Amino acid sequence: MRFEIPPTMAESEMEIRTIDRAGAFIEVVAPRHWTTARIDAWLDWADRLASDYPIATAPAGLEDVATLDPLLGGGPDRHAHRLAAWGHALGLFDKPADALNFRAAVFDLMAQGLAAPGPSLAFGARVHPLHPDPARAPQAEATDIASQRFTQLATPGASIIAERLNAVAEAVRRCEGDAGACANLADNQALARAALEARAAGASDEDIFAAMCLGRDDLAAFEPLSRPVYAHTDRARVTSGGADASRAAALAWRGGNLTLAFSTQDAEALRRAEIAPRAALNILALRGDDQLKGAIRTLVTALAIEGFTGFCSTPEAAYVRRDHRPLALCVAGVAERLVCEGLAYDSAEGRERARSLCALVAASARAAALEIEKITGAPSAQLTAAVDDPEMALRLGALSLGAAPWLGPARLAESADGKVFAVLDAAALAGLERLNLDVDAARHEVLGRRTLEGAPAIDHEALRAKGFTELELGAVEAALMGVTRLDEAFAPAVIGAGFVSDVLGASDDALADANFNTLALAGFNPEEIEAAERFALGAGTLAEASFLTPEARAVFLGKDETAGEARLAMTNALQAFTDAPPVAALDLDFTALPSEATKLQARAAESGVRALTIRRARAPADFRLDIPIPTPIEVRQPEPPRDRVVERIIEVDRSRRKLPDRRKGYIQKASVGGHKVYLHTGEYDDGELGEIFIDMHKEGAAFRSLMNNFAIAISIGLQYGVPLDEFVDAFVFTRFDPAGPVTGNDSIRSATSILDYAFRELGVSYLGRADLANLDPGELNADGLGRGEAEALERETGPQPISRFISKGFSRGAAPDNLVYLPTPTRARAAEVCPSCGDMALVRKGQALICETCGVRQPRAGDGEA
């Protein structure tokens, strides 16, 4: 493989920069216009370079790594030397001179900021390249999304923090009422208690908030994925919002470690890209086709050399190839290139231009790969724009990667003395000139004028009228060069605390307030402050620039103004040129719910992207939940019984007494006049009735709705302290259909209405009102007429298992199985002794007394017998 000396390019002006690294200041040779953050990123990359080096086979000029170019701590030249030496050992180059030319080409690309390699891979390494400890690096997984399960926190052996977080989600799920109120710490007392317990156990407020969101969407709290997972599923399942879609969205929302592809091949390609050697190509700075093709050939060769994962030395000191990784060549600066050419990111012309650029990169990369394949015989694959590496983008000057939009027209620059200030981005300048637009007006719109001379509402004249002198105005004007908000230039530390207190009248307490605003104290309203701030400091964007047409404004939209649909459309336009699909990143606010992630995921799937991932914003640095102290649960003790009550005064607390989340009660099924009625009750911990539900069948929707709302009204009254006996007295003996015989209830045999039956049952069960029970079916009818005396029903008088009366689910197995209930007869029996057998078993039947033991009939007094 032949390599010529690379063409001479415009060299960057270098200088010695002083950089603070790990608490120590070091001197580094770096390009003059690079920021400290960019230099730091290159130094971090250089610290992790692999150190293996084939000195035995290195040609002259490559065997000595002691004298390296000092650029960026020697990292770029050390990397270029190592790749050239290994390439020569592989037999890729025809002559040693080709290896030296290759070293020069690789170094030149990095020195000029035209390319940025990814993490350096040692030969023989098969693990995740970004992990600091290769022996413990998590391995990516490609799997069907249906095989992924939520890892529950409340599993046996889980930590106390996990159990508390699951209790937080459970408190939201079990709450009845409005979903927003149930997830509100101020409204849901059970949630507040669970959140306080989770915080006390050591859970972070961010995890507590995540558990609350999961509970609101009826999901249990679960652990985030511990390793990258590339899952695949059918596109239709995601667009329909089924179980697979919800599972994928929740897993990605919880930890961001899930990438969802819509084919098995794409999921596997993305997984393999995790261990692929990678590099990013600055397509913004590479303009000519020849220059672009030469840079691509150099980068593909460098990646191919790192792609061989295994060598073994032979007695002849040669190296044998064992395996080969895929390659990941990312395109950087596509969105910036569109701005330079005056094309809108969200336009058909912009997408077509991006397609042509990526097509040229893909064709050149494949041509270089085929050339290497002919020499080595090892197949290779190009995974263009298959990875998202923010550090790699930072080393290229914070360019966009792949289909990502432009960051915006404002950029940070650094002066020689280390001061950071905002400037207009080079891409914005080129685009404004391309469209023949006013650059000065754009600079004022984005960066501001950095003065208050001529500002609306708050200019020098207005400030003098408030008492400002030339001393304070000079301090403000000097501060405007380095602030991001107008109130920072008017801080007491800038204009003097004495002036603020003596002239503007600020108190000591006001000055101590972190939110103190001098301009507000001076009498300026928020609208005036905002207008002056935009005049002096700029808007940071051209999205609302009045001097631009709507078409021109669309060209200069930054990342924050670019709609999600535009990003999906650009991803669709570029994914045809990649072996592994570009991953559409779907951004969500920190406060978004998993259900919102499901909807966003469905829209992305409908757009046709091959792969997507959800990136939920991290919590703000000062994020903290405001958890109120819940009111203690009041347990009302029953009043001691009184022998005589002459007058009773009831004081009802106006506050509503909440029912416990897990409550006991019973369900009574009965039939009134042939109509089934289900009466449900809910009780407080002390056994007092707190709610009822009345469900009916075979009735119209209107009648059922009336009964449901009537039950809700009764329940609210009970919870606000209305005595049950007031309701019982008000509604028994009410008459309306359905009415008639009652079946299925062992105490009530007939009722004049549904309400009569319901409140008879409640009176008997909760108030002991035996006078409301009618055991004999002939005792009362719907028309109020009796049916005559009938035989008393036989009752079970033997011991009964306690499970007939206590819910096993409510007690959770706390009640022993051997408990029994000994019933007390509720109906009186004759207390007369039989003269024949001596048993107290003589009962009345008809007009005679008959012994139930021996069967002897005894005449009653007055029946004519002696």
Side-chain angles (χ1 to χ4, degrees):
M1 190 175 188
R2 298 189 59 186
F3 258 88
E4 304 293 341
I5 296 177
T8 302
M9 291 178 281
E11 295 186 1
S12 300
E13 186 177 357
M14 303 294 175
E15 67 177 2
I16 298 177
R17 303 277 291 275
T18 302
I19 306 295
D20 183 6
R21 291 198 37 96
F25 290 94
I26 64 172
E27 291 186 342
V28 178
V29 177
R32 179 184 296 275
H33 64 281
W34 284 17
T35 63
T36 299
R38 187 175 180 180
I39 297 172
D40 267 335
W42 276 100
L43 294 177
D44 289 341
W45 167 82
D47 290 342
R48 298 193 298 266
L49 285 176
S51 59
D52 53 331
Y53 198 88
I55 297 178
T57 60
L62 294 178
E63 75 283 4
D64 185 10
V65 293
T67 57
L68 297 173
D69 191 293
L71 177 68
L72 299 172
D77 200 13
R78 188 163 75 252
H79 182 62
H81 265 78
R82 174 177 170 273
L83 290 179
W86 277 113
H88 182 269
L90 286 168
L92 281 178
F93 305 118
D94 296 342
K95 298 180 296 184
D98 294 321
L100 295 174
N101 291 340
F102 171 74
R103 184 216 67 83
V106 172
F107 175 79
D108 200 44
L109 286 176
M110 292 184 284
Q112 301 302 322
L114 302 177
S120 179
L121 305 181
F123 294 106
R126 295 176 176 272
V127 294
H128 197 290
L130 305 180
H131 199 277
D133 186 356
R136 300 181 180 179
Q139 296 299 300
E141 177 185 356
T143 180
D144 192 326
I145 187 61
S147 66
Q148 292 296 316
R149 297 288 182 264
F150 295 132
T151 303
Q152 303 293 335
L153 288 175
T155 53
S159 67
I160 187 65
I161 295 178
E163 293 177 0
R164 294 290 184 266
L165 290 176
N166 202 64
V168 170
E170 188 71 12
V172 178
R173 276 205 318 276
R174 290 185 305 169
C175 175
E176 298 176 358
D178 179 70
C182 287
N184 191 312
L185 289 163
D187 296 337
N188 189 339
Q189 296 289 297
L191 173 61
R193 283 190 289 272
L196 285 174
E197 291 174 358
R199 180 187 282 175
S204 67
D205 281 19
E206 184 176 353
D207 283 339
I208 295 173
F209 180 74
M212 292 165 54
C213 293
L214 291 166
R216 184 169 177 178
D217 278 349
D218 199 21
L219 296 170
F222 61 91
E223 295 177 352
L225 294 171
S226 59
R227 58 182 177 178
V229 172
Y230 295 95
H232 56 85
T233 189
D234 185 73
R235 189 182 300 272
R237 296 182 182 178
V238 177
T239 55
S240 63
D244 284 356
S246 299
R247 182 182 298 109
L251 287 168
W253 176 92
R254 184 67 178 90
N257 248 349
L258 179 79
T259 301
L260 186 64
F262 298 107
S263 72
T264 306
Q265 296 79 6
D266 282 345
E268 180 61 25
L270 288 169
R271 185 195 67 80
R272 295 175 66 234
E274 278 288 317
I275 60 172
R278 63 188 64 172
L281 182 69
N282 184 351
I283 204 170
L284 173 63
L286 291 165
R287 296 302 180 92
D289 287 353
D290 291 340
Q291 189 184 49
L292 177 62
K293 291 178 181 178
I296 293 173
R297 183 171 181 260
T298 301
L299 277 184
V300 170
T301 303
L303 294 176
I305 293 172
E306 282 202 288
F308 292 103
T309 60
F311 293 85
C312 65
S313 59
T314 65
E316 292 78 18
Y319 292 89
V320 179
R321 296 181 297 275
R322 286 190 173 182
D323 195 6
H324 192 265
R325 287 188 183 96
L327 312 180
L329 178 60
C330 307
V331 180
V334 173
E336 288 82 354
R337 183 74 175 264
L338 296 180
V339 174
C340 290
E341 298 178 5
L343 298 174
Y345 181 88
D346 188 14
S347 67
E349 296 81 4
R351 287 189 287 272
E352 186 58 35
R353 177 57 175 153
R355 283 173 58 88
S356 65
L357 291 172
C358 289
L360 177 60
V361 172
S364 301
R366 293 185 187 281
L370 288 175
E371 184 181 2
I372 296 172
E373 185 176 343
K374 290 178 181 178
I375 298 173
T376 64
S380 60
Q382 291 72 50
L383 304 171
T384 310
V387 292
D388 183 10
D389 191 334
E391 288 190 9
M392 200 159 57
L394 179 58
R395 280 185 265 128
L396 290 178
L399 291 180
S400 62
L401 285 180
W406 180 46
L407 291 178
R411 279 288 187 275
L412 293 178
E414 197 168 341
S415 62
D417 57 356
K419 293 183 178 179
V420 178
F421 56 94
V423 297
L424 203 60
D425 184 58
L429 290 171
L432 291 166
E433 293 175 359
R434 181 70 173 264
L435 297 175
N436 295 319
L437 297 172
D438 190 342
V439 175
D440 289 335
R443 184 177 286 108
H444 290 160
E445 178 71 19
V446 175
L447 306 176
R449 294 161 178 81
R450 299 293 159 172
T451 180
L452 288 176
E453 283 284 359
I458 308 178
D459 58 0
H460 286 191
E461 293 301 323
L463 291 171
R464 289 190 183 98
K466 299 291 185 181
F468 283 77
T469 67
E470 297 303 322
L471 178 63
E472 288 80 33
L473 291 178
V476 169
E477 289 292 324
L480 286 175
M481 299 304 297
V483 298
T484 57
R485 298 196 320 271
L486 190 59
D487 61 337
E488 294 176 357
F490 286 86
V494 176
I495 62 178
F499 170 80
V500 177
S501 60
D502 296 342
V503 178
L504 299 181
S507 64
D508 293 340
D509 292 339
L511 290 174
D513 188 355
N515 298 320
F516 175 76
N517 190 311
T518 303
L519 290 174
L521 178 66
F524 297 106
N525 60 46
E527 291 76 15
E528 292 172 334
I529 297 174
E530 182 180 358
E533 183 174 85
R534 180 161 182 166
F535 176 89
L537 304 181
T541 177
L542 291 171
E544 299 178 0
S546 58
F547 68 93
L548 295 180
T549 64
E551 293 77 12
R553 281 199 295 269
V555 174
F556 301 101
L557 292 180
K559 179 180 179 181
D560 294 336
E561 295 101 15
T562 304
E565 289 73 13
R567 304 184 194 187
L568 294 175
M570 182 62 76
T571 303
N572 274 323
L574 303 186
Q575 65 186 3
F577 306 102
T578 61
D579 294 325
V583 179
L586 312 178
D587 294 324
L588 277 176
D589 292 335
F590 171 70
T591 56
L593 297 173
S595 56
E596 297 177 55
T598 304
K599 296 176 183 177
L600 185 62
Q601 180 181 255
R603 289 200 300 271
E606 290 175 354
S607 71
V609 296
R610 291 165 57 189
L612 57 88
T613 188
I614 294 172
R615 295 188 304 197
R616 177 168 165 251
R618 298 204 41 101
D622 57 347
F623 176 75
R624 184 169 177 82
L625 291 172
D626 184 13
I627 307 177
I629 304 299
T631 57
I633 300 176
E634 297 181 3
V635 179
R636 298 183 180 179
Q637 299 295 334
E639 295 183 0
R642 299 177 182 177
D643 296 337
R644 182 182 180 187
V645 178
V646 178
E647 183 179 2
R648 184 172 57 179
I649 299 175
I650 300 175
E651 294 184 1
V652 179
D653 188 1
R654 292 181 179 272
S655 62
R656 186 177 180 178
R657 184 184 175 193
K658 294 286 187 180
L659 280 162
D661 292 334
R662 187 179 182 87
R663 62 201 69 163
K664 59 184 182 296
Y666 70 91
I667 302 173
Q668 174 68 58
K669 174 186 174 184
S671 177
V672 178
H675 293 258
K676 288 183 181 179
V677 182
Y678 292 84
L679 179 63
H680 303 236
T681 67
E683 302 172 8
Y684 290 99
D685 290 336
D686 59 2
E688 184 178 346
L689 181 66
E691 66 178 3
I692 65 170
F693 300 91
I694 302 175
D695 296 329
M696 297 192 64
H697 298 268
K698 297 184 180 180
E699 305 298 335
F703 187 83
R704 286 201 306 271
S705 298
L706 285 173
M707 294 303 296
N708 288 338
N709 285 279
F710 174 82
I712 292 173
I714 296 298
S715 300
I716 293 174
L718 291 171
Q719 293 169 23
Y720 272 100
V722 178
L724 176 60
D725 53 4
E726 295 291 335
F727 287 125
V728 171
D729 293 339
F731 294 107
V732 294
F733 302 115
T734 53
R735 297 175 179 272
F736 57 87
D737 289 330
V742 177
T743 59
N745 192 305
D746 58 358
S747 296
I748 315 299
R749 294 302 178 184
S750 185
T752 59
S753 66
I754 296 298
L755 297 186
D756 177 55
Y757 159 73
F759 286 96
R760 281 174 179 271
E761 167 59 26
L762 296 176
V764 171
S765 299
Y766 287 96
L767 301 177
R769 293 280 300 273
D771 58 303
L772 297 178
N774 43 18
L775 296 176
D776 293 329
E779 218 175 282
L780 183 67
N781 201 0
D783 55 7
L785 301 177
R787 293 186 177 182
E789 186 173 310
E791 289 259 332
L793 298 178
E794 293 296 326
R795 302 290 304 275
E796 293 178 346
T797 58
Q800 302 295 320
I802 200 68
S803 60
R804 288 192 57 185
F805 307 97
I806 296 179
S807 168
K808 184 176 182 181
F810 180 85
S811 64
R812 289 179 169 167
D817 294 333
N818 59 353
L819 287 180
V820 296
Y821 168 73
L822 298 176
T824 301
T826 58
R827 301 171 60 201
R829 300 178 65 90
E832 298 185 39
V833 179
C834 175
S836 300
C837 65
D839 284 351
M840 187 176 291
L842 203 61
V843 297
R844 175 189 174 194
K845 290 189 178 181
Q847 297 299 320
L849 297 176
I850 300 177
C851 179
E852 290 188 340
T853 302
C854 63
V856 174
R857 180 176 182 275
Q858 300 293 333
R860 298 190 62 183
D863 63 356
E865 295 185 14

